[in-house]
Amino acid sequence: MRKFLVILDDSRECLNAMRFAAMRAAKTGGGVQVLSVIAPDEFNHWIGVGNIMREEARERITVHFEVFAKWMRDRQGVDPELVIREGEAVPEIMAQINENPDIGVLVLGAGSEKNGPGPIINQLMRASATLPVPMTIVPGEMSKDRLEEIT
């Protein structure tokens, strides 16, 4: 089964990427894998404090994921899978794609701020010629109705 890999972060545009991935998966018989990457600089403290912060970050991600997962299950009939990795975002995204041959499409949400679509998209665009899967960029300002029309 082809999976849509979508990145879960704290950005507003993440919502549209999640919607798009779930809608496309539902219409094509695919699956959704949700990846959240915890940056290593979040834990540069004493070992005990770093471990507590790591667990708190994982709990926060899981709660955030469950909101999207419930919508995907209830509205789209898709049961998403959560993957949490630690490291720098782009190398971890690439590793996740390379380690999972079922991933067929990377779905990212584009920010609408003046400084561009976002750092992950900017970095991945430079590496786009060597990506092992297609990348779909979903505009963060696109309406839910328009998303439904195009999926």
Side-chain angles (χ1 to χ4, degrees):
M1 169 177 40
R2 177 178 71 158
K3 292 182 183 177
F4 293 83
L5 177 65
V6 63
I7 309 307
L8 173 64
D9 58 22
D10 293 328
S11 68
R12 254 187 13 174
E13 55 271 11
C14 171
L15 175 60
N16 270 358
M18 290 286 174
R19 284 180 176 151
F20 181 87
M23 289 177 194
R24 289 298 303 145
K27 290 191 172 134
T28 62
V32 174
Q33 189 174 85
V34 177
L35 172 64
S36 187
V37 179
I38 302 172
D41 60 335
E42 290 186 38
F43 311 117
N44 288 338
H45 301 282
W46 297 295
I47 292 173
V49 175
N51 288 337
I52 291 169
M53 292 177 72
R54 180 176 287 111
E55 284 307 310
E56 288 174 351
R58 287 179 173 275
E59 287 175 24
R60 186 183 78 248
I61 289 165
T62 302
V63 168
H64 198 182
F65 165 77
E66 282 304 324
V67 171
F68 289 115
K70 181 174 180 1
W71 177 84
M72 287 183 194
R73 288 183 203 111
D74 294 350
R75 298 284 176 104
Q76 302 300 322
V78 173
D79 191 19
E81 167 191 0
L82 175 63
V83 176
I84 301 173
R85 297 181 74 116
E86 294 181 27
E88 297 299 326
V90 171
E92 292 302 324
I93 292 167
M94 295 299 291
Q96 187 65 26
I97 292 168
N98 289 326
E99 293 168 13
N100 293 274
D102 290 344
I103 295 172
V105 178
L106 172 62
V107 180
L108 300 169
S112 58
E113 284 76 47
K114 293 178 184 177
N115 56 352
I120 292 174
I121 291 176
N122 287 337
Q123 290 176 42
L124 285 170
M125 289 303 291
R126 287 191 279 276
S128 62
T130 60
L131 283 174
V133 297
M135 180 171 49
T136 298
I137 299 173
V138 182
E141 296 293 319
M142 187 173 283
S143 72
K144 185 175 142 188
D145 292 339
R146 180 69 179 134
L147 277 172
E148 288 174 357
E149 288 174 9
I150 64 173
T151 57

